[in-house]
Amino acid sequence: MSEAKPGLRVDKWLWQARFFKTRSLAAKLVQSGKLRLNGDLISKPARNVSSGDVLTFPKDLETRVIEVFKLGTRRGPAPEAQLLYRDLAPPTPKPAYSVSPKADHKPTARDRRAIQKFKQDLEHN
């Protein structure tokens, strides 16, 4: 017989890697059928993951694609948890200054200063 690869439950690994605040939240995601393990949809939190596996799941209005590097032994601090995986599709950075989503609002003092600075920059260039 061949030896089985060492593994860890997918819900426990997601919790240890700090993608979810509680293990039950990680289990709910898996049970919802929205998690892919190496491209296959899974719906059982007891499914094992091992190093080299790729997980794809929705998180905070984004789709996360994660490669499992290590299996953790505990839920440690964030820097330790970040060593457990590699983000294959890192989230895009948010712009430093964004326009307010409301188009029909009165500009605030901050908005007016930003518009004035923008116009001055255009005049000088």
Side-chain angles (χ1 to χ4, degrees), residues 92-106:
T92 56
K94 295 180 181 175
Y97 179 80
S98 63
V99 178
S100 176
K102 296 181 181 178
D104 58 348
H105 77 288
K106 181 178 176 183

Side-chain angles (χ1 to χ4, degrees), residues 27-40:
K28 282 181 186 177
L29 172 84
V30 178
Q31 289 171 346
S32 72
K34 295 180 181 177
L35 180 105
R36 290 182 179 269
L37 174 64
N38 296 326
D40 299 326

Side-chain angles (χ1 to χ4, degrees), residues 13 16 21 45 47 51-52 59 68 77 87 91 93 96 101 108 110 114:
W13 188 87
Q16 285 180 353
K21 202 169 193 174
R47 185 80 179 263
S51 59
K59 178 75 173 138
V68 178
D87 200 350
T108 63
R110 182 178 181 183

